[in-house]
Amino acid sequence: MKVLTLLVIFISFLTTNAQEIAILKYNGGGDWYANPTALPNLIKFCNTNIGTTLNEKPETVEASSPELFQYPFLHMTGHGNVFFSQEDADNLRTYLLGGGFLHIDDNYGMEPYLRKELNKVFPDKELVELSAENAIFEQTYSFPKGLPKIHEHDGKRPQAFGIFHENKLLLLFTFESDLGDGWEDPQVHNDPEEARLKALQMGANIIQYVFKN
């Protein structure tokens, strides 16, 4: 009954065309709070350039909280360990299957922990690499080669992975790109303006894709 009630509330929320983003807080010791200026900067960019009306101050919500269902878009980042309890995993699965979306941006180092924990959320699904032809790369901004490389880290190619249900993308995991560093204030990482712009444009594409689909 609790799950059904949450889904009814969530579906009602979605049908109001609400545009809200929250940061996902998780356990395990990883820095879920990394890149504090990133999401506010991306939101400002989106509101200015692609016509969104997002709240400029994103909220923070825990994985197990019923408040999760107030936000159609969740953003998650960090460098280290990630841990989902069974309650966290069950709540996230209900949220995602009910129409929510989760974007996870590896800030460097979270990938091995994340893959293990996502198996709790979707034991019957795997991360699938998105091709450069995926629609998420052809929204307002075109990325014909797929996910852009913003920070070098290990020098690996940037990859975008997704989890799908009935051909619908529920979760996006961006790896070896570090979009969030590119969204941060210029003085934080001293990235070239060209790299920051690519990161912001790709972020805008993700948000636009989610709210259109």
Side-chain angles (χ1 to χ4, degrees), residues 2-201:
K2 178 183 177 183
V3 170
L4 180 60
T5 300
L6 288 172
L7 282 174
V8 169
I9 293 171
F10 189 39
I11 291 169
S12 174
F13 183 75
L14 289 176
T15 56
T16 65
N17 294 319
Q19 294 183 335
E20 295 295 336
I21 294 179
I23 298 166
L24 185 66
K25 180 181 179 181
Y26 53 88
N27 294 314
D31 54 343
W32 59 267
Y33 46 82
N35 292 357
T37 65
L39 207 51
N41 284 343
L42 176 62
I43 288 170
K44 289 177 185 176
F45 182 88
C46 290
N47 288 347
T48 300
N49 294 281
I50 64 170
T52 52
T53 55
L54 299 164
N55 188 330
E56 292 191 3
K57 184 179 180 182
E59 299 294 332
T60 297
V61 61
E62 295 187 15
S64 62
S65 173
E67 293 181 5
L68 202 73
F69 295 84
Q70 296 180 24
Y71 306 100
F73 190 115
L74 298 176
H75 175 74
M76 175 179 172
T77 192
H79 294 84
N81 193 28
V82 176
F83 175 77
F84 293 146
S85 68
Q86 194 57 54
E87 183 182 7
D88 293 337
D90 292 345
N91 202 45
L92 281 168
R93 181 168 57 252
T94 300
Y95 165 82
L96 293 168
L97 291 176
F101 188 90
L102 173 60
H103 172 223
I104 307 168
D105 187 48
D106 190 343
N107 206 348
Y108 187 60
M110 74 186 302
E111 184 259 350
Y113 308 102
L114 177 70
R115 285 183 177 271
K116 179 174 176 289
E117 296 310 295
L118 287 180
N119 285 334
K120 296 179 183 176
V121 181
F122 289 113
D124 59 337
K125 299 182 185 295
E126 295 183 358
L127 287 167
V128 177
E129 185 169 4
L130 274 58
S131 73
E133 288 74 39
N134 190 279
I136 207 164
F137 302 117
E138 290 293 341
Q139 297 295 307
T140 293
Y141 303 103
S142 179
F143 289 88
K145 295 183 180 179
L147 191 67
K149 184 79 169 175
I150 306 303
H151 274 224
E152 285 303 316
H153 295 312
D154 290 334
K156 298 177 182 177
R157 69 182 178 90
Q159 293 176 278
F161 298 96
I163 288 180
F164 293 82
H165 178 68
E166 297 178 349
N167 296 318
K168 179 178 173 62
L169 182 64
L170 309 180
L171 179 151
L172 175 70
F173 174 45
T174 46
F175 175 61
E176 277 292 324
S177 170
D178 211 339
L179 294 173
D181 275 10
W183 301 342
E184 285 228 84
D185 288 346
Q187 66 272 19
V188 176
H189 299 288
N190 297 312
D191 287 325
E193 187 56 32
E194 180 183 2
R196 291 191 70 247
L197 183 59
K198 284 182 180 179
L200 289 164
Q201 289 176 340

